[in-house]
Amino acid sequence: MSEEQQKSYKVYLGGKWIETAEKIQITDPATGQKFASVSTLNREQVRSAFDTAQAALPAWRGITAKERGAYLNRVADEVHKRADEIARLITLENGKPMAQSKGEMAMTEDHLRWFAEEGRRAYGRVVPHQVPGKRNMVVKTPIGVVGAIAPWNFPLVLGIRKAAPALAAGCPVVLKPSSQTPLSSIAFAECVEAAGIPGGVFQVVVGSARMIAEEFLTNSICRKITFTGSTEVGRELIKGAAESIKPLSLELGGLAPLLVFDDCNLDQAVQETLVAKFRNTGQSCIAANRIYVQRSIHDEFVKRFVVGVQKLKTGPGLDPGTDIGPLINQQALDAALAQIEDAASRGGKVLCGGKRMGSSGFFLEPTVIDGVGGPSLCMREETFAPVAPIATFETEDEAIDVANASEYGLSAYAMTRDIGRIFRLAERIEAGTLGINDGAPTTSNCPFGGVKQSGWGRELGIEGLDAFLETKHVSFGGM
Ligand code: NAP
């Protein structure tokens, strides 16, 4: 075991590193073995995080956006310096291939730098008055202390997608990472400390999700909850927020359709579909869940796609050249195997993969299933695994109808070179993000989020900052 694997991790509270008797164990999905432990907090300690954040708020809100940006850039410098080491932690706790963990680090740094700049553009406006002697102005103010909850699939970057804009806007943040993958967020807190951000401005809490969420929901200091995770938990948060009318941003589940039209560049379409489906071992909220291919090119697309899938190398994320890592845990593996069995039992043809690999860790062979019908589980439920179900369509209208026939609307993909069609899809597809010949359509400078049951609000882009700002009208009389 390497040094970091034996470490017992503390949590970062009020600018101090806290060790408690109660610990959770962290499992390496590549081996199924526990390799680290983390201190957990009780309700009292989580509450104290909010008191400390509230105490830090006036000074943090009071400095200029330019100064806050300078702090965030210093955090980004620390992240940059430690990118390989923290990427290794991500791979250990989450399982993803090292190259992708490094990609997550690069995106984390980019989010920090984007919001370091964007904080300076929290513009209000002066509005031409309608009543003589009056004047009207709109100002933006930080919303206050923020509670952020992040999932395990992108353990660091999804938390920072919340923390960076909140901090840039002038809001202290209490971040709760997933208890399956808290290590990279703890390492990030070290970067925050090294950058000199005052204690209490950014804190990490680890412990029972239900207890922490309850504190976020009921503590009046917490002015906003920003959550990324399942639609099921998002729904619980909405119910819990009803009492205090707590504002929520929700990044929830997806069931992305990917449409391959017969005018596409076939090689490019295959390549981008491989990325859209298999990045992060299929455990991405924007992963292509359902692949629909226009009938006239179906056979050729499937032939080339299967060749591409068979070239993907599955193994531990730390092994050089790995494309596909393990799934996060046994439950995820069982759920994926159940979806494969269900699709096959309904007439789907497994063209490659379909089975567990090895007996330690949670590896699944990258799988392609053709001729999958609409009622199959993998066409209706989030798959979160390297399983690619394929069906066919005849016309553009039919493709749009099947794409929209879901309660989710996070992302969608289309492989086509027809400019008219691209505009029609942009107008009619019900999703927060549409990737045209692009299997990885996420970037710091553009909004990200879902429609329908995929969530409320947007992260990233200029919208990402606005999520942590209040809008106030100031009206002047007797002018
Ligand atoms: P999850 O079970 O909903 O957990 C997400 C976070 O919520 C974790 O920190 C978890 O803590 C916490 N949590 C669990 N139960 C809670 C409760 N009752 N109240 C408040 N918080 C609670 O989701 P996941 O399995 O980690 O992540 C996968 C899901 O996230 C998928 O559905 C995926 O599509 C979605 N996702 C969405 C986006 C997006 O941007 N829209 C991005 C990534 C993932 P513990 O880990 O400690 O239980």
Side-chain angles (χ1 to χ4, degrees), residues 149-154 158 161 176-180 207-210 213 227-231 233 236-237 251-254 284-285 382 384 410 448 454 459:
I149 304 177
W152 53 264
N153 62 337
F154 290 87
L158 296 182
R161 200 167 281 183
K176 183 220 151 329
S178 166
S179 41
Q180 297 183 84
S208 152
R210 221 166 254 285
F227 170 81
T228 297
S230 59
T231 295
V233 171
E236 276 186 46
L237 288 173
E251 295 287 340
L252 308 178
S284 164
C285 53
E382 215 176 11
F384 251 56
L410 189 58
F448 180 89
S454 289
E459 297 190 321

Coordinates of all heavy atoms in Angstrom, one line a residue, residues 149-154 158 161 176-180 207-210 213 227-231 233 236-237 251-254 284-285 382 384 410 448 454 459, ligand 1:
I149 N -24.0 19.9 -2.2 CA -23.9 18.4 -2.1 C -23.5 17.8 -3.5 O -24.1 18.1 -4.5 CB -25.3 17.8 -1.7 CG1 -25.8 18.4 -0.4 CG2 -25.2 16.3 -1.6 CD1 -27.2 18.0 0.1
A150 N -22.5 17.0 -3.4 CA -21.9 16.5 -4.7 C -22.0 14.9 -4.7 O -21.9 14.3 -3.7 CB -20.5 17.0 -4.9
P151 N -22.0 14.4 -6.0 CA -22.1 12.9 -6.1 C -20.7 12.3 -6.3 O -19.7 13.0 -6.2 CB -22.9 12.7 -7.4 CG -22.5 13.9 -8.2 CD -22.1 15.0 -7.3
W152 N -20.6 11.0 -6.5 CA -19.3 10.3 -6.5 C -18.8 10.2 -8.0 O -17.6 9.8 -8.1 CB -19.5 8.8 -6.0 CG -20.6 8.1 -6.6 CD1 -21.9 7.9 -6.2 CD2 -20.6 7.4 -7.9 NE1 -22.7 7.2 -7.0 CE2 -21.9 6.9 -8.1 CE3 -19.6 7.2 -8.9 CZ2 -22.2 6.2 -9.3 CZ3 -19.9 6.5 -10.0 CH2 -21.2 6.0 -10.2
N153 N -19.6 10.4 -9.0 CA -19.1 10.0 -10.3 C -18.1 10.9 -10.9 O -17.2 10.5 -11.7 CB -20.3 9.8 -11.3 CG -21.1 11.1 -11.5 OD1 -21.1 12.0 -10.7 ND2 -21.8 11.1 -12.7
F154 N -18.2 12.2 -10.6 CA -17.0 13.2 -10.8 C -16.8 13.8 -9.5 O -17.3 14.9 -9.2 CB -17.4 14.2 -11.9 CG -17.6 13.6 -13.3 CD1 -18.8 13.1 -13.7 CD2 -16.5 13.6 -14.2 CE1 -18.9 12.5 -15.0 CE2 -16.6 13.1 -15.4 CZ -17.8 12.5 -15.8
L158 N -17.6 18.3 -9.8 CA -19.0 18.7 -9.7 C -19.2 19.5 -8.4 O -20.1 20.4 -8.4 CB -19.9 17.4 -9.7 CG -19.9 16.7 -11.1 CD1 -20.9 15.5 -11.0 CD2 -20.2 17.6 -12.2
R161 N -17.8 22.9 -9.3 CA -18.7 23.6 -10.2 C -19.7 24.5 -9.4 O -20.3 25.4 -9.9 CB -19.4 22.6 -11.0 CG -20.1 23.1 -12.3 CD -20.5 21.9 -13.1 NE -19.4 21.3 -13.9 CZ -19.5 20.3 -14.7 NH1 -20.7 19.8 -15.0 NH2 -18.4 19.8 -15.4
K176 N -20.5 19.1 0.9 CA -20.6 17.7 1.3 C -20.4 16.9 0.1 O -21.2 16.7 -0.8 CB -22.0 17.4 1.9 CG -22.2 16.0 2.4 CD -23.5 15.4 2.0 CE -23.6 13.9 1.8 NZ -22.5 13.2 1.3
P177 N -19.2 16.2 0.1 CA -18.9 15.3 -1.0 C -19.6 14.0 -0.8 O -20.1 13.8 0.4 CB -17.4 15.1 -1.0 CG -17.0 15.4 0.4 CD -18.1 16.3 1.0
S178 N -19.7 13.1 -1.7 CA -20.3 11.8 -1.5 C -19.4 11.0 -0.5 O -18.2 11.1 -0.6 CB -20.3 11.0 -2.8 OG -20.6 9.6 -2.6
S179 N -20.0 10.3 0.4 CA -19.2 9.5 1.3 C -18.5 8.4 0.7 O -17.6 7.7 1.3 CB -20.0 9.1 2.5 OG -21.3 8.6 2.1
Q180 N -18.8 8.1 -0.6 CA -18.0 7.1 -1.3 C -16.7 7.7 -1.8 O -15.7 6.9 -2.0 CB -18.8 6.5 -2.5 CG -20.0 5.8 -2.0 CD -20.8 5.1 -3.1 OE1 -20.5 4.0 -3.6 NE2 -21.8 5.8 -3.6
G207 N -20.3 12.8 6.5 CA -21.1 12.1 7.5 C -22.4 11.6 6.8 O -22.5 11.6 5.6
S208 N -23.4 11.3 7.7 CA -24.6 10.8 7.2 C -25.3 11.9 6.3 O -25.5 13.0 6.6 CB -25.6 10.6 8.4 OG -26.9 10.7 8.0
A209 N -25.6 11.4 5.0 CA -26.2 12.3 4.0 C -27.5 12.9 4.5 O -27.8 14.1 4.4 CB -26.3 11.6 2.7
R210 N -28.3 12.0 5.1 CA -29.6 12.5 5.5 C -29.5 13.5 6.6 O -30.2 14.6 6.6 CB -30.4 11.2 6.1 CG -31.8 11.2 5.7 CD -32.4 9.8 5.9 NE -32.5 9.1 4.7 CZ -33.5 9.3 3.8 NH1 -34.4 10.3 4.1 NH2 -33.6 8.6 2.7
A213 N -28.1 16.8 5.1 CA -29.2 17.5 4.3 C -30.2 18.1 5.2 O -30.7 19.2 4.9 CB -29.8 16.5 3.4
F227 N -27.4 21.1 -5.4 CA -27.3 19.6 -5.3 C -27.0 19.0 -6.7 O -27.7 19.4 -7.6 CB -28.6 19.1 -4.7 CG -28.7 17.6 -4.8 CD1 -28.1 16.7 -3.8 CD2 -29.4 16.9 -5.8 CE1 -28.2 15.4 -3.9 CE2 -29.5 15.6 -5.9 CZ -28.9 14.8 -4.9
T228 N -26.1 18.1 -6.7 CA -26.0 17.2 -7.9 C -26.1 15.8 -7.5 O -25.4 15.3 -6.5 CB -24.6 17.4 -8.6 OG1 -24.5 18.7 -9.1 CG2 -24.5 16.5 -9.8
G229 N -27.0 15.0 -8.1 CA -27.2 13.6 -7.7 C -28.4 13.1 -8.4 O -28.9 13.6 -9.4
S230 N -29.0 12.1 -7.7 CA -30.1 11.4 -8.4 C -31.4 12.2 -8.3 O -31.6 13.0 -7.4 CB -30.4 10.1 -7.7 OG -30.6 10.3 -6.3
T231 N -32.3 12.0 -9.2 CA -33.6 12.6 -9.3 C -34.4 12.3 -8.0 O -35.1 13.1 -7.4 CB -34.4 12.2 -10.5 OG1 -33.7 12.7 -11.7 CG2 -35.8 12.8 -10.5
V233 N -33.3 11.7 -4.9 CA -32.8 12.5 -3.8 C -33.2 14.0 -4.0 O -33.6 14.7 -3.1 CB -31.3 12.4 -3.5 CG1 -30.9 13.4 -2.4 CG2 -31.0 11.0 -3.0
E236 N -36.6 14.5 -2.8 CA -36.7 14.6 -1.4 C -36.3 16.0 -0.9 O -36.9 16.5 0.0 CB -35.7 13.6 -0.7 CG -36.3 12.2 -0.6 CD -35.3 11.3 0.2 OE1 -34.8 11.7 1.2 OE2 -35.1 10.2 -0.3
L237 N -35.3 16.6 -1.6 CA -34.8 17.9 -1.2 C -35.9 18.9 -1.4 O -36.1 19.9 -0.7 CB -33.5 18.3 -1.9 CG -32.3 17.5 -1.4 CD1 -31.1 17.8 -2.3 CD2 -31.9 17.9 0.0
E251 N -29.1 19.5 -10.1 CA -28.6 18.8 -11.3 C -28.8 17.3 -11.1 O -28.2 16.7 -10.2 CB -27.0 19.1 -11.3 CG -26.6 20.5 -11.5 CD -26.9 21.0 -13.0 OE1 -27.1 20.1 -13.9 OE2 -27.0 22.2 -13.1
L252 N -29.8 16.8 -11.8 CA -30.3 15.5 -11.5 C -30.0 14.5 -12.6 O -29.1 14.7 -13.4 CB -31.8 15.5 -11.1 CG -32.2 16.6 -10.1 CD1 -33.7 16.7 -9.9 CD2 -31.4 16.4 -8.8
G253 N -30.7 13.4 -12.6 CA -30.4 12.3 -13.5 C -30.7 12.6 -14.9 O -31.3 13.6 -15.3
G254 N -30.2 11.7 -15.8 CA -30.4 11.9 -17.2 C -30.7 10.5 -17.9 O -30.6 9.5 -17.3
S284 N -21.7 8.6 -16.2 CA -21.8 10.1 -16.4 C -23.3 10.4 -16.5 O -24.1 9.7 -17.2 CB -21.0 10.5 -17.6 OG -21.4 11.8 -17.9
C285 N -23.7 11.5 -15.9 CA -25.1 11.9 -16.0 C -25.5 12.3 -17.4 O -26.6 12.2 -17.8 CB -25.4 13.1 -15.1 SG -24.3 14.5 -15.4
E382 N -31.8 5.1 -16.1 CA -30.4 5.5 -16.2 C -29.6 4.3 -16.1 O -29.7 3.5 -15.2 CB -30.1 6.5 -15.1 CG -29.1 7.6 -15.5 CD -28.9 8.6 -14.4 OE1 -29.4 8.3 -13.2 OE2 -28.3 9.6 -14.6
F384 N -25.8 4.1 -16.3 CA -24.6 4.3 -15.4 C -23.7 3.1 -15.5 O -23.2 2.6 -14.5 CB -25.0 4.6 -14.0 CG -24.8 6.1 -13.7 CD1 -25.4 7.1 -14.4 CD2 -24.0 6.4 -12.6 CE1 -25.1 8.4 -14.1 CE2 -23.7 7.8 -12.3 CZ -24.3 8.7 -13.1
L410 N -31.6 16.0 -19.6 CA -30.3 16.6 -19.3 C -29.5 17.0 -20.5 O -29.2 18.1 -20.8 CB -29.6 15.7 -18.3 CG -28.3 16.3 -17.7 CD1 -28.6 17.5 -16.9 CD2 -27.6 15.3 -16.8
F448 N -24.9 24.6 -18.1 CA -25.0 23.2 -18.0 C -26.2 22.9 -17.0 O -26.2 23.4 -15.9 CB -23.8 22.5 -17.4 CG -23.8 21.0 -17.3 CD1 -23.5 20.2 -18.4 CD2 -24.3 20.4 -16.1 CE1 -23.6 18.8 -18.3 CE2 -24.4 19.1 -16.0 CZ -24.0 18.2 -17.1
S454 N -34.7 16.4 -14.9 CA -33.3 16.4 -14.8 C -32.8 17.6 -14.0 O -31.6 17.8 -13.8 CB -32.6 16.4 -16.2 OG -32.8 15.2 -16.8
E459 N -25.6 25.4 -14.1 CA -24.3 25.7 -13.6 C -23.4 26.2 -14.8 O -23.8 26.1 -15.9 CB -23.7 24.4 -13.0 CG -24.5 24.0 -11.8 CD -23.9 22.9 -11.0 OE1 -23.3 21.9 -11.5 OE2 -24.0 22.9 -9.7
Ligands
NAP1 P1 -27.2 10.3 -5.0 O1 -27.4 9.0 -4.4 O2 -28.4 11.1 -5.2 O3 -26.1 11.0 -4.1 C1 -25.7 12.3 -4.5 C2 -25.3 13.0 -3.2 O4 -26.4 13.2 -2.4 C3 -24.2 12.3 -2.4 O5 -23.4 13.2 -1.7 C4 -25.0 11.6 -1.4 O6 -24.4 11.3 -0.2 C5 -26.1 12.6 -1.1 N1 -27.4 12.0 -0.6 C6 -27.8 10.7 -0.5 N2 -29.0 10.6 0.1 C7 -29.3 11.9 0.4 C8 -30.5 12.5 1.0 N3 -31.5 11.7 1.4 N4 -30.5 13.8 1.2 C9 -29.5 14.6 0.7 N5 -28.4 14.1 0.1 C10 -28.3 12.8 0.0 O7 -26.5 10.2 -6.4 P2 -25.2 9.4 -6.8 O8 -25.5 8.0 -6.9 O9 -24.1 9.9 -5.9 O10 -24.9 10.0 -8.2 C11 -25.5 9.5 -9.4 C12 -26.7 10.3 -9.8 O11 -26.3 11.7 -9.9 C13 -27.2 9.9 -11.1 O12 -28.6 9.9 -11.2 C14 -26.6 11.0 -12.1 O13 -27.3 11.2 -13.2 C15 -26.7 12.2 -11.2 N6 -25.8 13.2 -11.6 C16 -26.3 14.3 -12.2 C17 -25.4 15.3 -12.7 C18 -25.9 16.6 -13.3 O14 -25.1 17.5 -13.5 N7 -27.2 16.7 -13.6 C19 -24.1 15.1 -12.6 C20 -23.6 13.9 -12.1 C21 -24.5 13.0 -11.6 P3 -23.7 9.9 0.2 O15 -22.8 9.5 -0.9 O16 -23.0 10.2 1.4 O17 -24.9 9.0 0.4

